[in-house]
Amino acid sequence: MGKNMTGLVKHYQNSMNGIPQLTNNWGSMINLLDAVLVHGFNHVPVLGLSKANAESITATINLGSGHGFIDRQVVRIAGSTNGWNGDHKVLSADTSSITIECTAEHPIVISGTASCFTAPADFEIVHQTPSESTEPKRAYRSTDPESLGLILLVHDFCSIGAATAGAKFAKVGLVENMTDINTIVGNQLPEDANNWGWDGTYHGCAKWYYANPQYGNAYDQRNDTQAPAAGGRTFDLVVDGKSMLLSVQNQWYNALYGLFEFYDAEIRGANAILAATGLNFNPTQAQNRYAAARGGLMTGFNNSTGPGDAASQAQAGLLWYNNSALRQDQKISRPIALGFMTNNTAIDATSSSNFLLQMPILDSSMVFRGSIPFARMQMGGGRNGTYFTDDGKIKCLSLYNGNFGSQNYAFAMESL
């Protein structure tokens, strides 16, 4: 990797040049994860690179017009023969060049036939289906030596007999090991072999939705057999090599999903949590659900108008280790103080009545276990937009759903 800028949190968004989109087509999630976690995207030849002087800790890369990189993202240089290969944060971008962070040890110019592209998160594909498969599956695993080494298994296709034209989602789970893409060895989360199947009524358990049925309002009930709207979805990902936060914004609802590794204060060691729709209620293709009920962590709801409402459900997440440090699915509970998160007042970035807290992980016994990487709770109100704090770039999302409460959450895009 050369003189790599280590410890960089990488963020991705649907507006980035060359990034695969989450559309109303099966397979969209795997296409996105392949690019973000493993391969990178938007490869652009480096036309030239220069530093102001040998001691400078910034460099300007000439890429030509239409390069598509944006400020504060992480790019990777490859093909250099004099030590420039590696990941670098973009400090600024114009129409034909970018300015990046570097070190005083980097050469003043670049040698070799180099290219620049959006840096992947350095996961690996352990097993996969052939490229021509109509039932795409992937087994992703972090290459970070400090990771728990769990495999994120993803199925992104419609099972035979289910509603092909209906909602689109990837079935997800954590597994201990695999001998091939179809054979799980050891433990898995959720502890349900039916997570990957379809029996005519039940369609898996843990799901990351990326194309919801087309709602008329937040309290409509729509089942998974009903068609979503065409086109792409707004999304954001934040990854640090071990944890991944995924925010998907559809009409009338936002969803917060992810795989998170964290220090568990109860067991005094590393643990993992999988956040997905379906980990806390009966997931069927035929059952009507409100918009927010497909929302994963669904942070911000504080209403209980009916059994289908998201507020009547716990947060949709499971811990890998229980409170005795044994491998056993353990549910999580809602964060505290959601009563402060119910209004939808427009609040500006400097308002003292709106603030962010790290999102705590409370288990089913309401015991504090740790904090979800990157995720933030909006307290005191809701605001939308991107803001800059001492620890970097923060994106806030607030969606008001009338009598069904509001979804207010945020995430850090450059730090934990």
Side-chain angles (χ1 to χ4, degrees):
M1 293 289 292
K3 298 178 178 66
N4 190 33
M5 305 295 290
T6 59
L8 292 173
V9 172
K10 298 166 184 174
H11 64 86
Y12 312 86
Q13 58 199 54
N14 61 284
S15 59
M16 283 181 166
N17 199 40
I19 192 169
Q21 298 296 302
L22 292 178
T23 66
N24 187 21
N25 294 310
W26 292 101
S28 293
M29 182 67 74
I30 276 180
N31 290 339
L32 176 62
L33 295 179
D34 279 357
V36 165
L37 297 182
V38 182
H39 302 306
F41 56 91
N42 191 31
H43 292 251
V44 179
V46 172
L47 302 180
L49 180 151
S50 62
K51 294 170 61 175
N53 53 65
E55 292 74 31
S56 178
I57 57 173
T58 65
T60 298
I61 305 178
N62 180 14
L63 298 166
S65 61
H67 60 77
F69 298 116
I70 61 175
D71 68 314
R72 308 179 83 95
Q73 77 167 103
V74 178
V75 295
R76 179 167 296 177
I77 296 174
S80 161
T81 57
N82 65 334
W84 271 102
N85 290 352
D87 293 350
H88 305 267
K89 183 178 178 180
V90 176
L91 299 176
S92 63
D94 61 27
T95 56
S96 61
S97 66
I98 57 176
T99 299
I100 62 169
E101 287 183 330
C102 62
T103 69
E105 287 73 35
H106 280 95
I108 199 167
V109 295
I110 193 169
S111 300
T113 306
S115 64
C116 181
F117 59 99
T118 300
D122 292 325
F123 281 58
E124 62 180 343
I125 297 176
V126 185
H127 300 287
Q128 62 182 313
T129 48
S131 58
E132 67 274 11
S133 175
T134 57
E135 297 186 349
K137 304 174 186 178
R138 293 289 189 278
Y140 303 100
R141 182 171 58 196
S142 169
T143 60
D144 189 321
E146 297 183 359
S147 168
L148 289 170
L150 301 176
I151 291 172
L152 173 65
L153 181 57
V154 181
H155 290 191
D156 192 2
F157 59 91
C158 187
S159 299
I160 296 174
T164 303
K168 307 302 185 297
F169 49 81
K171 289 181 281 190
V172 297
L174 295 183
V175 301
E176 198 167 23
N177 208 348
M178 305 182 76
T179 56
D180 57 59
I181 192 60
N182 295 310
T183 308
I184 296 171
V185 177
N187 295 301
Q188 63 175 302
L189 179 160
E191 297 169 327
D192 189 343
N194 294 325
N195 189 48
W196 311 107
W198 161 256
D199 64 4
T201 303
Y202 294 95
H203 201 329
C205 300
K207 292 182 274 191
W208 290 352
Y209 283 86
Y210 54 87
N212 261 7
Q214 190 167 1
Y215 289 88
N217 51 58
Y219 50 85
D220 274 356
Q221 294 197 54
R222 295 287 185 267
N223 61 51
D224 283 358
T225 65
Q226 293 174 292
R233 273 63 184 170
T234 302
F235 63 83
D236 296 270
L237 291 100
V238 189
V239 190
D240 73 346
K242 294 189 292 185
S243 297
M244 174 177 60
L245 176 150
L246 169 63
S247 174
V248 183
Q249 297 113 56
N250 274 271
Q251 184 185 29
W252 297 109
Y253 97 108
N254 296 327
L256 190 59
Y257 303 129
L259 161 62
F260 307 101
E261 291 195 15
F262 67 98
Y263 177 79
D264 190 324
E266 182 72 6
I267 68 174
R268 298 183 181 181
N271 203 348
I273 182 171
L274 179 69
T277 300
L279 292 176
N280 59 320
F281 61 85
N282 204 15
T284 75
Q285 279 270 58
Q287 190 169 3
N288 285 340
R289 290 291 177 192
Y290 294 86
R294 294 176 174 87
L297 289 176
M298 300 180 295
T299 303
F301 269 88
N302 188 36
N303 190 293
S304 56
T305 59
D309 187 9
S312 65
Q313 304 158 10
Q315 285 196 302
L318 291 176
L319 294 164
W320 179 258
Y321 292 121
N322 68 10
N323 54 7
S324 298
L326 299 175
R327 165 62 206 125
Q328 184 181 53
D329 289 2
Q330 185 169 13
K331 289 184 178 181
I332 62 171
S333 299
R334 283 195 175 280
I336 57 175
L338 283 180
F340 291 100
M341 305 168 65
T342 58
N343 70 68
N344 194 50
T345 306
I347 298 175
D348 63 40
T350 61
S351 173
S352 60
S353 63
N354 179 273
F355 57 96
L356 305 176
L357 293 178
Q358 286 194 317
M359 190 180 294
I361 301 169
L362 304 179
D363 65 24
S364 53
S365 298
M366 297 298 289
V367 173
F368 174 77
R369 304 294 290 272
S371 299
I372 294 180
F374 317 121
R376 302 288 187 269
M377 295 168 60
Q378 292 201 58
M379 307 298 291
R383 64 183 179 185
N384 286 292
T386 300
Y387 306 93
F388 296 95
T389 64
D390 289 344
D391 63 352
K393 191 174 183 179
I394 300 284
K395 184 168 183 177
C396 297
L397 294 169
S398 179
L399 181 62
Y400 181 57
N401 284 330
N403 292 333
F404 285 69
S406 61
Q407 294 164 283
N408 304 322
Y409 62 86
F411 43 88
M413 304 172 78
E414 298 175 78
S415 66
L416 291 178

